[in-house]
Amino acid sequence: MSIELSLAIKTDLMVEGARSQITYEDDIAIVRTPDLPSYYFGNFLVFDEAPTAEMFQTYIDRFHAAFKQDPEVKHVTLQWVHDIAPSPEVMALAKQLGYSYSRDAVLVSAQPKAHREMSQNYDLRVIQTDQDWELVTNAQIEIGSETYKQPSFPDFKRSKMLTRRDLVDQGKGIWVAAFDQETCIGDMGIYATDGIARYQSVGTKKSYRGQGIAGQLIAFAANEIGQPVETYVIIAEAESTAHRLYAKCGFDLKEHCHSFCKYPDA
């Protein structure tokens, strides 16, 4: 019997559209994004339970077995559906083996709101033209490059943004951005199906942070989505600045999403 996926994973797959594939094998789910083998959280295994120290190597072995036909997948990413943090013993073992642990907050709201006014009257708009898509793509690369230093990141992000635009073209969501004249200073996507909407790639350029831009874009996107939504979902690193911002915008904690990842250079 296939496992029941968490809200975080379900909405991740919704945002990826047809690009990602999911199959079930015994007690695991296997998620693949064939044209993006370096996508750490697009090629991963989902287990029902958190790993124990005794089972950690088995989880790793099952990942390698699942992706043995995909030699370009050089990382290992393990997730599980239940909101259970790994034991200290597992954390120590994972660190010894070169794995990084992530704990993300999955937040929900019936109606997001802006937490404050913007410090200046920046222009908010729904992205439609080729020129604006290029501007938001470049902004996403600039913002993401603060965290992801790999030389391949710009090409990876451009590929991801093509998927995001394709879903917009299919009527499954919108992309919104804030502009200072013709400079994109912050942007995000929102996608919806069956009454559930998921925010994606929320970002503000460094020199414009702290001015209320992200909160205004969150509310603007909810108002512009153009379809009925019962639950808005947004995800952030637990206890992070983003988590605290989203709480001010009307989001409440539903669950945590846990994962281990061994990056290719780890």
Side-chain angles (χ1 to χ4, degrees), residues 150-180:
Q150 299 94 327
S152 61
F153 175 74
D155 288 340
F156 169 81
K157 177 54 76 170
R158 285 190 178 280
S159 180
K160 292 277 289 180
M161 289 299 288
L162 288 174
T163 299
R164 303 292 183 256
R165 183 175 184 178
D166 184 54
L167 289 174
V168 169
D169 291 342
Q170 294 174 38
K172 296 180 179 179
I174 58 173
W175 204 271
V176 300
F179 288 84
D180 182 359

Side-chain angles (χ1 to χ4, degrees), residues 37-138:
S38 63
Y39 184 12
Y40 306 137
F41 289 90
N43 299 279
F44 61 94
L45 292 196
V46 185
F47 295 85
D48 194 44
E49 300 289 345
T52 63
E54 294 76 17
M55 291 297 294
F56 197 81
Q57 186 60 51
T58 300
Y59 278 30
I60 296 169
D61 293 342
R62 293 190 73 178
F63 181 94
H64 288 306
F67 287 92
K68 64 183 178 182
Q69 302 301 324
D70 302 284
E72 294 303 309
V73 176
K74 301 184 184 302
H75 64 276
V76 176
T77 303
L78 312 171
Q79 295 194 48
W80 52 98
V81 295
H82 293 297
D83 187 359
I84 300 173
S87 69
E89 185 180 12
V90 170
M91 292 291 285
L93 176 60
K95 184 177 181 180
Q96 180 183 348
L97 294 174
Y99 283 79
S100 299
Y101 169 64
S102 295
R103 175 173 170 262
D104 291 331
V106 182
L107 307 160
V108 297
S109 175
Q111 185 57 60
K113 61 184 181 182
H115 67 300
R116 52 167 284 193
E117 294 296 322
M118 289 188 292
S119 58
Q120 297 187 45
N121 190 27
Y122 296 119
D123 179 33
L124 306 184
R125 60 182 186 244
V126 178
I127 300 306
Q128 296 178 319
T129 68
D130 291 345
Q131 180 180 2
D132 280 354
W133 274 106
E134 183 66 17
L135 291 172
V136 296
T137 297
N138 289 336

